[in-house]
C-alpha cells in the first residue's frame, strides 16, 4: 500500500510521496502521437487503460492544450490525465502487479461536500494502467481516497511542523493559487476551522498571467499564449523573435493582486482582523507575493520554508492519509 498526495491546482499539479519525494508540473495536457523519437531525452508520452496518448505538464505547449477549469479538481473531465501524470512521475507503480494506492487530495471548502461524493464515485476502487510510448507500464489500484478542504491541508502540515500552536486568537491560512485565493480561518484555541470566516477570493496568479498578456499585446500588437505569459513572470522570454515580459511587466501586476487580496480580506473579516495572531501565506502565489500581505496583521506572519511553500496543502493531505491508514 502506497500513499500519494496530489494537489490538482489550476496552475500546477503537485505531488508528494510517502518518502517525501516532491514534484510539480503545469496543470495542462494535450493529445500526442504515440511515438517518442528520443531526441534530447525522453518526453513521457502516456496513455490510460490503452486510451489515447498524451503529453502533460511542461511538455504540453502550443495549441490544443487541455486544462481543468471547474471547481471539482478531481472530477473535472480534463483532470484524469493530470492524475495519471502525477502517478507516473511518482515512480511508485510497478509493471508486474498493481500498486494499491491511498490517494490523498483536496478541494475547495465551498464545494467540499459535493466534490468528495463525486470523487469517491469516480475514483475509489478504480484500476489504472498507465503505459508510455516506449512500452513501459505502471499499474495502480486506487483503494481509498482521503480528501480534505484546501487550506485545511496546509493547516495540518503547519501543526505537524510545529509552526501553528494552540493559543489565543485566530490563525489565517492564505492559499494563493492560480485561479483563486482560498482563505481558511482557524480558532487557535481548538484548532478548528471557523467556516463563516473562511472564503475564496476570485483572484490569483492567473490574473497576473492575463495582465502580462494584455500588457504585451498593447505594446507589441500580438497575442501571447498563457503558457508563454506565465513563463515570463520572473524573466524575459522570447516569443515572435521578441524579448517579452519580465519583472518590469509583472511587478506592478503582482502588487495589484496583493492589494486586491488585502482589500477583500479586510472586507470579509472586518472586526475579526483584530483577532488574527498568526498569518500564513502558502501556495505557489505566496512565493511571489506572500511577503506583501503582512499589512493584514503586521508582525504576525509565519514563514513557511520556501521548499514547502507550494506543497503545504499536499503535505498536509499526506499526513491526513497516514493518520487514517
Amino acid at each position: 500500500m502506497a500513499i500519494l498526495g496530489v494537489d490538482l491546482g489550476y496552475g500546477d499539479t503537485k505531488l508528494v510521496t510517502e518518502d517525501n519525494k516532491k514534484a510539480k508540473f503545469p496543470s495542462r495536457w494535450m493529445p500526442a502521437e504515440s511515438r517518442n523519437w528520443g531526441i534530447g531525452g525522453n518526453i513521457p508520452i502516456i496513455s490510460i487503460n490503452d486510451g489515447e496518448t498524451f503529453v502533460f505538464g511542461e511538455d504540453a505547449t502550443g495549441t490544443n492544450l487541455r486544462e481543468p477549469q471547474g471547481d471539482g479538481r478531481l472530477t473535472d473531465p480534463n483532470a484524469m490525465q493530470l492524475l495519471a501524470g502525477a502517478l507516473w512521475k511518482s515512480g511508485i507503480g510497478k509493471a508486474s502487479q498493481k500498486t494499491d494506492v491511498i490517494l490523498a487530495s483536496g478541494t475547495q471548502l465551498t464545494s467540499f461536500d459535493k466534490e468528495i461524493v463525486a470523487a469517491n464515485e469516480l475514483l475509489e476502487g478504480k484500476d489504472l494502467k498507465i503505459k508510455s510510448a516506449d512500452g513501459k507500464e505502471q499499474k495502480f489500484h486506487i483503494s481509498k481516497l482521503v480528501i480534505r478542504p484546501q487550506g485545511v491541508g496546509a493547516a495540518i502540515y503547519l501543526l505537524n511542523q510545529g509552526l501553528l500552536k494552540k493559543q489565543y486568537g485566530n490563525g489565517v491560512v492564505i492559499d494563493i493559487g492560480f485561479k483563486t485565493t482560498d482563505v481558511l480561518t482557524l480558532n487557535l484555541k481548538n484548532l478548528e476551522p471557523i467556516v463563516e470566516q473562511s472564503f475564496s477570493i476570485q483572484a490569483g496568479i492567473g490574473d497576473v498571467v492575463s495582465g502580462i498578456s494584455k500588457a504585451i499585446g498593447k505594446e507589441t500588437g500580438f497575442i501571447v499564449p498563457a503558457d508563454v505569459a506565465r513563463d515570463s513572470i520572473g524573466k524575459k522570454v522570447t516569443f515572435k523573435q521578441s524579448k517579452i515580459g519580465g519583472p518590469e511587466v509583472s511587478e506592478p501586476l503582482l502588487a495589484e493582486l496583493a492589494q486586491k487580496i488585502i482589500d477583500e480580506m479586510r472586507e470579509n473579516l472586518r472586526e475579526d482582523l483584530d483577532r488574527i495572531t498568526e498569518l500564513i501565506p502558502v501556495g505557489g502565489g505566496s512565493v511571489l507575493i506572500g511577503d506583501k500581505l503582512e499589512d493584514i496583521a503586521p508582525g504576525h506572519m509565519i514563514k513557511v520554508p520556501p521548499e514547502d511553500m507550494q506543497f503545504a496543502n499536499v503535505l498536509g493531505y499526506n499526513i491526513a492519509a497516514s493518520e487514517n491508514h
Side-chain angles (χ1 to χ4, degrees):
M1 187 76 71
I3 296 173
L4 180 66
V6 178
D7 183 0
L8 298 178
Y10 295 115
D12 287 318
T13 293
K14 284 81 66 178
L15 63 111
V16 178
T17 64
E18 275 181 285
D19 58 0
N20 212 37
K21 172 188 172 183
K22 301 188 188 82
K24 66 182 178 73
F25 55 86
S27 294
R28 59 183 190 247
W29 64 274
M30 61 186 292
E33 292 189 21
S34 58
R35 192 164 185 180
N36 193 327
W37 296 104
I39 300 171
N42 289 323
I43 294 173
I45 300 174
I46 61 176
S47 64
I48 306 168
N49 294 341
D50 296 318
E52 72 169 345
T53 56
F54 60 93
V55 294
F56 62 92
E58 292 181 353
D59 297 319
T61 58
T63 56
N64 207 21
L65 292 179
R66 315 289 171 83
E67 300 171 286
Q69 296 297 324
D71 291 337
R73 305 296 175 85
L74 290 167
T75 57
D76 187 282
N78 289 309
M80 184 61 76
Q81 285 80 358
L82 301 181
L83 176 58
L87 287 164
W88 183 263
K89 284 184 76 73
S90 73
I92 63 175
K94 299 178 179 66
S96 57
Q97 63 186 60
K98 291 176 189 171
T99 299
D100 279 329
V101 177
I102 296 176
L103 186 63
S105 194
T107 188
Q108 286 183 296
L109 185 65
T110 51
S111 57
F112 179 76
D113 291 338
K114 180 180 176 182
E115 172 71 0
I116 194 169
V117 172
N120 275 310
E121 288 178 358
L122 179 68
L123 294 172
E124 201 161 76
K126 190 175 184 69
D127 291 330
L128 297 174
K129 180 180 76 173
I130 305 174
K131 187 176 179 179
S132 69
D134 58 3
K136 295 176 183 174
E137 284 187 6
Q138 294 184 25
K139 298 174 184 176
F140 303 92
H141 175 75
I142 301 176
S143 57
K144 184 179 179 182
L145 261 66
V146 175
I147 302 178
R148 294 290 183 270
Q150 282 186 295
V152 170
I156 292 169
Y157 156 80
L158 292 162
L159 290 165
N160 181 268
Q161 296 295 303
L163 294 170
L164 268 183
K165 297 180 175 65
K166 284 190 176 183
Q167 57 177 291
Y168 176 80
N170 295 341
V172 178
V173 180
I174 310 169
D175 182 8
I176 309 166
F178 190 80
K179 186 178 177 183
T180 63
T181 296
D182 297 313
V183 178
L184 178 78
T185 302
L186 297 164
N187 181 335
L188 293 177
K189 279 188 176 180
N190 55 23
L191 302 176
E192 287 294 326
I194 305 173
V195 176
E196 61 271 20
Q197 294 180 37
S198 301
F199 49 90
S200 288
I201 299 170
Q202 297 304 307
I205 296 302
D207 297 332
V208 176
V209 172
S210 177
I212 288 174
S213 293
K214 290 175 183 174
I216 293 170
K218 189 175 180 180
E219 180 184 340
T220 65
F222 54 74
I223 297 171
V224 178
D227 59 320
V228 176
R230 183 182 171 189
D231 290 343
S232 74
I233 290 176
K235 63 183 185 302
K236 284 184 176 291
V237 298
T238 301
F239 183 73
K240 277 202 170 185
Q241 295 77 55
S242 300
K243 289 285 187 182
I244 59 170
E248 62 266 36
V249 179
S250 63
E251 279 300 329
L253 296 165
L254 289 166
E256 184 180 326
L257 173 62
Q259 193 57 52
K260 182 173 183 179
I261 292 170
I262 290 170
D263 291 344
E264 293 213 22
M265 287 188 66
R266 285 174 174 158
E267 177 66 23
N268 278 280
L269 293 174
R270 297 180 182 272
E271 64 272 12
D272 290 306
L273 284 168
D274 297 334
R275 297 179 181 271
I276 296 175
T277 54
E278 304 286 13
L279 188 70
I280 315 106
V282 297
S286 64
V287 177
L288 297 169
I289 63 168
D291 288 345
K292 299 180 189 295
L293 304 183
E294 193 163 13
D295 283 355
I296 297 167
H300 290 273
M301 184 177 285
I302 292 178
K303 300 279 183 145
V304 174
E307 65 273 16
D308 289 348
M309 200 171 276
Q310 194 167 358
F311 293 89
N313 269 310
V314 70
L315 285 163
Y317 302 152
N318 255 19
I319 294 165
S322 298
E323 292 173 348
N324 279 269
H325 179 35

